[in-house]
Amino acid sequence: MFTSIAGRAVLVTGGTRGIGKGIASVFASNGARVLITGRDSDAARAAAEELPGEVSYVLADVADREDCRRMAAIAQERLGGIDVLCANAGIFPEGRLADLTEEDLDQVFGTNLKGTIFSVQACLPALERSARGRVILTSSITGPITGVPGWTHYGASKAGQLGFMRAAAIELAPSGITVNAVLPGNIITEDLADLGKARMRNMTAAIPLRRLGTVDEIGHAVLFLATEEAAYITGQTIVVDGGQVLPEFLGAVAGAEAAG
Ligand code: NAP
């Protein structure tokens, strides 16, 4: 049995939809006090109402440094501090390498990479005051481990998060803050469900466990990294992908099925 995280003050960026909402749900269900962020007020209000337990929201754009400072100040005011920062907000627009504009790069790096760093910087004073400060980034298998044509900028931003994580883990260790990341594979979110049955079937075929992941399954990995039991883990990654990165050659998943 893990030590309870009940009462912990948790900030989840991009917690209004998708994976972030799943992370917020798992923390709130376990008794944490949760503040979620996003830019769309309708989605934020709906998520805060729908999620179980103690969840409130603040509108903030992680690509804006001042917004991140305001978000951290509101967390301090409402929750009395920040014990856990889940830096999850991210975007993944498609764009072929030959066509990517400087604006495309600024948008993806601004949200996924600078947004991660701004969020951590803004929460640092509160995390330092917490006796058990935790930062958990939502990266991806795309970039750190795999590549997908059309997502070069996204992959670079997700791999960049891990470079940030490793140096930050060392810098923040004297303050007792750990910095880790989860790397989701293909997870069912509101957007992904719209892709259509054929595309979903193709995605599923590449996954040894033969299904897409759920947002709660990412939430549980994040929750583990926030527990007392994970206090000695820092600068590390947990891949949550149903084995998607494992097949060594095309057909390996089908081959394993035939052999079984
Ligand atoms: P999603 O369903 O589109 O949700 C993204 C969340 O981030 C929303 O709450 C969105 O709210 C918020 N957001 C986006 N840009 C923001 C900004 N500039 N400032 C503040 N909030 C912002 O996406 P998702 O699939 O859950 O992805 C969440 C994270 O998981 C991302 O970092 C993504 O790279 C990663 N990931 C996802 C998958 C997957 O299969 N779904 C796989 C690997 C990694 P607003 O739009 O209202 O701001």
Side-chain angles (χ1 to χ4, degrees):
M1 193 65 184
F2 289 107
T3 311
S4 169
I5 54 99
R8 216 73 73 83
V10 180
L11 174 57
V12 183
T13 70
T16 62
R17 286 201 314 267
I19 288 176
K21 191 172 164 194
I23 294 171
S25 174
V26 168
F27 272 99
S29 301
N30 281 277
R33 294 170 303 123
V34 182
L35 180 65
I36 56 173
T37 81
R39 295 160 303 170
D40 179 76
S41 59
D42 290 343
R45 192 176 312 110
E49 276 170 17
E50 187 194 314
L51 286 168
E54 195 181 324
V55 180
S56 67
Y57 72 90
V58 57
L59 299 182
D61 182 347
V62 293
D64 182 311
R65 191 173 218 158
E66 270 316 305
D67 263 20
C68 288
R69 289 184 177 135
R70 190 173 46 77
M71 145 191 114
I74 289 172
Q76 178 68 45
E77 190 184 299
R78 247 182 241 174
L79 307 177
I82 303 170
D83 299 307
V84 182
L85 166 66
C86 303
N88 165 82
I91 53 170
F92 29 89
E94 185 174 3
R96 301 294 297 187
L97 176 57
D99 304 324
L100 289 179
T101 64
E102 194 168 350
E103 287 72 29
D104 293 331
L105 298 182
D106 287 345
Q107 193 196 16
V108 167
F109 293 143
T111 302
N112 296 0
L113 202 44
K114 278 168 76 175
T116 295
I117 299 175
F118 287 160
S119 301
V120 176
Q121 282 181 318
C123 295
L124 258 190
L127 288 165
E128 280 166 355
R129 282 192 296 275
S130 166
R132 47 208 171 177
R134 302 291 168 85
V135 175
I136 300 136
L137 314 180
T138 307
S139 176
S140 176
I141 60 169
T142 309
I145 304 176
T146 62
V148 185
W151 279 274
T152 51
H153 50 344
Y154 174 73
S157 74
K158 292 283 134 180
Q161 282 183 304
L162 299 191
F164 163 76
M165 174 192 77
R166 294 187 179 103
I170 302 172
E171 270 196 45
L172 303 185
S175 306
I177 300 168
T178 66
V179 189
N180 293 290
V182 289
L183 277 57
N186 292 147
I187 306 304
I188 305 169
T189 61
E190 296 87 337
D191 286 353
L192 217 76
D194 290 342
L195 285 180
K197 281 197 176 149
R199 179 88 186 268
M200 297 278 264
R201 249 197 320 275
N202 276 347
M203 290 165 83
T204 306
I207 302 170
L209 284 178
R210 290 297 197 194
R211 65 174 177 85
L212 304 188
T214 67
V215 295
D216 279 6
E217 285 171 323
I218 304 302
H220 287 122
V222 174
L223 182 79
F224 166 67
L225 290 168
T227 59
E228 292 298 325
E229 285 73 13
Y232 201 52
I233 301 172
T234 195
Q236 303 304 315
T237 58
I238 300 182
V239 174
V240 186
D241 73 341
Q244 188 172 346
V245 300
L246 300 176
E248 204 167 271
F249 55 87
L250 198 63
V253 179
E257 197 177 59

